[in-house]
Every structure is written in C-alpha cells, then in structure tokens.
C-alpha cells in the first residue's frame, strides 16, 4: 500500500505558546547540528519566535556562530536598508541581536540588476550550503507560502513573481498605503521549499483558519500553494486554536 506521510500538527494553547513551540523546534535543530542551515521567514507570525531565539541567545542557551540562513523572499526594488525590506526586518528582529555571521545570512537582493542570474545563484548557494535543514514558513490568507501565490507550480524554483492584489492589500498594513507596496518579489519556489529536510509552517489567528484547513485537509492543488506541501516527510504545522479550529482532528 502506498503510504503518504502525514504532517505533525501541533495545536498550541495560544499565539505565544505557538511561538514557543516553533522556537523549540528551531532550538532543537540547532542543538542537533550547530552548523545547521535554517530557512527563515518574515511577516507578523514569526516575530514572537525571533524574540524567543534572541532571549535564548542572550541567556547563553543558543549559539548562532556556525549557522547559515536563507530567507524565503524579498520585495523587488527595495534596498536592504529600506525599513520594509525583508533584509531590514531580519536584521531588526534577529540578526543584529545574535552572533550570526552576516556573510552566512542570505536574503534575496531586491536590487539585483540581473534577477535571472541572482535567482540561479541563490539556488546554487543553498545547494552549496548542503541544503536547508529546517525551513520556517508562514501562510498567506490566500494560501501562499513565501511569495508563491495561487497558481504556483509544485516544482517552481527561486524566481521573480507578481504579487496578487490580496497580498498587496494584506501587506499594505506595513506601508503608508497600498500604492507603496512593491508589485513584484523574488521568492524561493515551492520546489525549493520542498527540498528542505524539515518544514515548520506556523499560523495563528482566525483569519488563517480556512486556508489552514484547506492546506491540510483539502486536495493538494496550486490554488492553495500550502497544500502542495502535503506528503513532505518532515512537515510540522504549529497552530494556535483560532487557526486550527476548522480542522477535523
Ligand atoms: P503574516 O504573513 O505572518 O504577516 O500573516 C504570512 C505570509 O504572508 O506568509
């Protein structure tokens, strides 16, 4: 019989506990391998995770000095110093507060002059680092993972994409207006993400409940990119009760 791997589903007691469970999974990966390669995510969801990782570093419990990191995505056209760029986010939330070697932190370059060359190089750097041991993911209201919007192919690689109107709307909360949100991004592909040894998708809040349910219990289909993770052997969802309440578990 053909056995399809089932994801591990952790339903935390609340949003803070979800951050704690996610931080514990990252902590464990680093404890197992001090030179692990971590795939990191931006957005509102992982902020509490990074806060905990910084606290654990400050307490002497975590060492980032041998780690390598790759972020999922970046807006096209934003400089690393732009306060809405994902490089800036990572510096503010994590990198500036821990002993990670900046040279081993990778975020796609939103100002790359030749994006084709840049994305091919990004894929190559991931391979040269030995692949991603643990990839952290959020999920968009439309099911996107990184900036793989609905319709993205299961074998897609790092590339430039157009953002959908609902992503622009969702992300406009961080900008002065929706008009200021970049229209394009560089994102790791779904195929790139699926090559990570472990994937931890974290979601919190009622607004994610439907899309989480569709990702886990619906058919695997490009209309919900997160559903394309189904069958990955190292997949864990960390949810709070609000985002998990439609699941039949
Ligand atoms: P959020 O974004 O964490 O800000 O909800 C998640 C995503 O769009 O992937």
């Amino acid at each position: 019989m053909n056995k399809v791997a089932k994801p591990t589903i952790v339903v935390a007691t609340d949003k803070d506990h979800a951050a704690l469970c996610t931080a514990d999974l990252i902590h464990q990966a680093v404890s197992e391998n001090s030179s692990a390669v971590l795939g990191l995510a931006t957005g509102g969801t992982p902020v509490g995770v990074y806060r905990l990782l910084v606290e654990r570093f400050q307490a002497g419990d975590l060492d980032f000095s041998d780690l390598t990191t790759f972020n999922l995505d970046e807006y096209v056209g934003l400089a690393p110093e732009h306060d809405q760029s994902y490089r800036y986010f990572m510096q503010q939330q994590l990198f500036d507060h821990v002993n990670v070697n900046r040279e081993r932190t990778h975020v796609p370059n939103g100002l790359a002059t030749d994006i084709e060359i840049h994305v091919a190089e990004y894929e190559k750097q991931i391979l040269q680092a030995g692949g991603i041991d643990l990839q952290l993911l959020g999920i968009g209201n439309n099911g996107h993972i990184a900036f793989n919007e609905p319709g993205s192919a299961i074998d897609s690689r790092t590339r430039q994409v157009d953002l959908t109107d609902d992503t622009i709307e969702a992300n406009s909360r961080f900008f002065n207006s929706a008009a200021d949100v970049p229209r394009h991004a560089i994102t790791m592909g779904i195929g790139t993400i699926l090559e990570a040894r472990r994937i931890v998708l974290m979601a919190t809040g009622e607004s994610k409940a439907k899309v989480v349910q569709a990702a886990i219990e619906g058919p695997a289909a490009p209309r919900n990119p997160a559903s394309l993770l189904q069958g990955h052997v190292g997949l864990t969802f960390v949810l709070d009760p609000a985002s998990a309440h439609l699941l039949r578990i």
Side-chain angles (χ1 to χ4, degrees), residues 98-174:
V98 297
N99 64 340
V100 72
N101 178 344
R102 160 109 193 195
E103 308 237 306
R104 285 208 293 272
T105 65
H106 304 86
V107 181
N109 179 4
L111 294 185
T113 43
D114 190 326
I115 289 189
E116 292 279 301
I117 292 177
H118 179 60
V119 297
E121 182 64 17
Y122 205 71
E123 290 271 344
K124 203 165 118 194
Q125 286 176 319
I126 294 172
L127 281 180
Q128 284 170 345
I132 292 171
D133 292 303
L134 185 152
Q135 176 67 60
L136 178 61
L137 291 178
I139 182 171
N141 297 327
N142 63 2
H144 74 202
I145 46 174
F147 275 132
N148 293 284
E149 300 284 28
S152 297
I154 193 165
D155 58 356
S156 51
R157 310 303 308 187
T158 305
R159 68 202 186 287
Q160 177 168 330
V161 292
D162 300 336
L163 302 183
T164 58
D165 289 344
D166 45 18
T167 294
I168 290 166
E169 179 58 35
N171 290 7
S172 66
R173 69 191 196 273
F174 300 114

Side-chain angles (χ1 to χ4, degrees), residues 131-245:
I132 292 171
D133 292 303
L134 185 152
Q135 176 67 60
L136 178 61
L137 291 178
I139 182 171
N141 297 327
N142 63 2
H144 74 202
I145 46 174
F147 275 132
N148 293 284
E149 300 284 28
S152 297
I154 193 165
D155 58 356
S156 51
R157 310 303 308 187
T158 305
R159 68 202 186 287
Q160 177 168 330
V161 292
D162 300 336
L163 302 183
T164 58
D165 289 344
D166 45 18
T167 294
I168 290 166
E169 179 58 35
N171 290 7
S172 66
R173 69 191 196 273
F174 300 114
F175 292 81
N176 290 331
S177 75
D180 293 333
V181 184
R183 265 45 189 167
H184 309 284
I186 297 169
T187 183
M188 273 189 209
I190 297 176
T192 322
I193 292 168
L194 283 169
E195 284 168 11
R197 293 176 192 93
R198 273 188 272 175
I199 297 174
V200 178
L201 189 154
M202 180 182 171
T204 56
E206 169 64 34
S207 65
K208 302 284 173 70
K210 266 193 186 157
V211 83
V212 163
Q213 196 256 342
I216 297 175
E217 296 176 349
R223 69 171 177 274
N224 182 332
S227 70
L228 300 176
L229 302 172
Q230 288 175 17
H232 187 284
V233 293
L235 176 59
T236 301
F237 286 85
V238 180
L239 308 170
D240 69 346
S243 66
H245 80 96

Side-chain angles (χ1 to χ4, degrees), residues 22-38:
T22 305
D24 283 348
L25 290 170
I26 296 172
H27 197 150
Q28 190 191 342
V30 176
S31 303
E32 282 165 18
N33 176 7
S34 62
S35 55
V37 179
L38 299 179

